[in-house]
């Protein structure tokens, strides 16, 4: 694995993270909430149509989630563009540990909230997000 490829893959990771942001932002408005509702229904497998987006609290949490995901995705992109060349191993580790931290807490919360299927989905997202970042790049 080369540093050039790691730098490229950090941008892939940032897109994977930020791609969920518009879905949850759209969940804040009743007219555009179906994709967010369906996403939560899918992640809390099986798809049964019981997940709703009617509660104002759900819409508010959706706004927060979308904002956090967009900010995190942009941060990873900026680390790739502005910092990686100066500290490639440190950036790789920072993103890797950030992804692992998300995975552990999100998966634990999914399990304790009665949605263990999301931990499995999280595993797939983790593998895609981390990709080659598991291994240090050759200089």
């Amino acid at each position: 694995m080369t540093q050039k490829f790691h730098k490229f893959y950090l941008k892939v990771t940032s897109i994977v993270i930020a791609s969920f942001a518009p879905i949850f932002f759209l969940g804040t408005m009743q007219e555009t909430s179906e994709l967010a509702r369906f996403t939560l229904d899918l992640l809390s497998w099986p798809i049964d149509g019981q997940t709703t987006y009617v509660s104002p609290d759900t819409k508010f949490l959706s706004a927060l989630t979308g904002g956090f995901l967009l900010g995190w995705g942009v941060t990873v992109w900026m680390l790739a563009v502005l910092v990686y060349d100066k500290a490639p191993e440190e950036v790789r580790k920072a993103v890797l540990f950030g992804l692992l931290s998300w995975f552990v807490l999100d998966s634990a919360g999914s399990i304790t909230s009665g949605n263990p299927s999301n931990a499995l989905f999280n595993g797939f997202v983790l593998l895609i997000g981390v990709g080659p970042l598991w291994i240090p790049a050759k200089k």
Side-chain angles (χ1 to χ4, degrees), residues 19 22-24 26-27 32-41 53:
S19 68
I23 294 169
F24 289 106
L26 291 172
T32 57
S33 64
E34 179 53 26
L35 183 57
R37 189 212 60 77
F38 177 76
T39 299
L40 282 184
D41 200 9
Y53 249 77

Side-chain angles (χ1 to χ4, degrees), residues 12-90:
V12 171
T13 301
S14 74
I15 292 168
V16 168
I17 294 167
S19 68
F20 291 92
I23 294 169
F24 289 106
F25 168 74
L26 291 172
T28 65
M29 300 165 282
Q30 191 60 42
E31 308 78 32
T32 57
S33 64
E34 179 53 26
L35 183 57
R37 189 212 60 77
F38 177 76
T39 299
L40 282 184
D41 200 9
L42 173 69
L43 296 176
S44 63
W45 192 264
I47 299 173
D48 56 14
Q50 293 191 25
T51 302
T52 66
Y53 249 77
V54 240
S55 169
D57 294 336
T58 303
K59 292 176 184 176
F60 178 52
L61 284 174
S62 197
L64 294 173
T65 301
F68 287 133
L69 289 170
L70 181 62
W72 185 20
V74 168
T75 298
V76 172
W77 185 281
M78 298 308 290
L79 285 169
V81 171
L82 300 176
V83 183
Y84 186 83
D85 291 335
K86 298 171 186 151
E89 186 59 10
E90 289 79 2

Side-chain angles (χ1 to χ4, degrees), residues 9 13 16 95-96 98-104 107 119-131 134:
Y9 204 85
T13 301
V16 168
V95 173
L96 180 61
L99 287 165
L100 291 171
S101 298
W102 155 78
F103 174 77
V104 168
S107 296
L120 180 63
F121 286 110
N122 285 350
F124 291 121
V125 174
L126 179 68
L127 290 175
I128 294 167
V130 169
W134 287 114

